[in-house]
Amino acid sequence: MGKVFEDYFTELQTDMISICLEYVEDRAEKIYIYCSYENNMISGDFFYKINGKVVHNNKLNDAIADREKPYDVSIDRQKEVIDIIIEDIISLKKLCQEYQRDMPTQIKLIYDVSENKVQADYSYDIIFSNDKKKTSYDVLEEWYQLEKSN
């Protein structure tokens, strides 16, 4: 049997997880990936849980334990990951158009590395673009702060 919409959709999400896992050198407890597509505005970002601490992707070294090898959190590496996430969001949009499906306005993925499980939360509502002050970054930061406080 051939691939169906869900198979392609899952492959693109898996690609996002893979690049984020590569960035963290397979050394994380959880990976959090945020994707937004509202009013033709695309954004994506990611953060992690490492050694029990939730940290932004540029602050991985704040969570390493003694004698652990530091992470390469260079701007170039961060940009490479964001570029791939954005490409995958564009591909998701094209896939949804091809299969005449609604494109989520927001996707939040949580990948539990040790359990090899993905939790996905999809929204189809306008989240921020109707607000004059709120941006996708604000939504990401709210999620980050929520996870950090858990």
Side-chain angles (χ1 to χ4, degrees):
M1 184 152 95
K3 287 184 181 180
V4 295
F5 170 80
E6 288 78 10
D7 296 327
Y8 294 115
F9 201 90
T10 299
E11 282 177 6
L12 289 165
Q13 292 178 128
T14 300
D15 188 56
M16 292 181 208
I17 292 167
S18 294
I19 192 61
C20 290
L21 195 56
E22 182 181 316
Y23 177 84
V24 80
E25 302 166 2
D26 296 336
R27 298 189 290 149
E29 294 163 48
K30 291 186 179 181
I31 299 170
Y32 302 85
I33 303 170
Y34 177 75
C35 306
S36 175
Y37 184 89
E38 282 190 34
N39 294 334
N40 292 319
M41 293 183 289
I42 298 171
S43 64
D45 212 329
F46 58 108
F47 59 96
Y48 296 93
K49 184 174 189 179
I50 298 169
N51 295 326
K53 292 172 92 174
V54 175
V55 291
H56 284 292
N57 58 54
N58 63 332
K59 299 288 188 185
L60 300 182
N61 291 317
D62 291 355
I64 60 175
D66 289 343
R67 298 192 186 125
E68 272 188 304
K69 178 182 151 214
Y71 293 96
D72 176 0
V73 293
S74 66
I75 298 294
D76 286 343
R77 287 200 72 226
Q78 293 174 52
K79 186 179 177 326
E80 288 170 2
V81 177
I82 294 291
D83 287 348
I84 290 171
I85 290 172
I86 297 299
E87 287 172 20
D88 286 338
I89 295 169
I90 292 168
S91 295
L92 285 173
K93 177 63 177 162
K94 289 177 183 173
L95 178 68
C96 288
Q97 287 173 329
E98 180 183 335
Y99 281 83
Q100 299 178 344
R101 303 284 184 99
D102 288 336
M103 172 68 182
T105 54
Q106 176 178 270
I107 301 171
K108 291 179 178 177
L109 299 174
I110 302 174
Y111 177 63
D112 187 313
V113 177
S114 63
E115 294 187 21
N116 191 28
K117 287 187 180 175
V118 178
Q119 177 185 336
D121 179 29
Y122 306 102
S123 178
Y124 295 87
D125 298 324
I126 297 298
I127 307 296
F128 66 88
S129 58
N130 288 343
D131 188 317
K132 288 184 167 117
K133 294 180 182 173
K134 201 170 201 176
T135 67
S136 64
Y137 179 79
D138 295 322
V139 177
L140 168 74
E141 191 60 23
E142 288 169 6
W143 184 33
Y144 170 80
Q145 292 300 332
L146 178 69
E147 294 298 332
K148 194 173 179 177
S149 67
N150 286 342

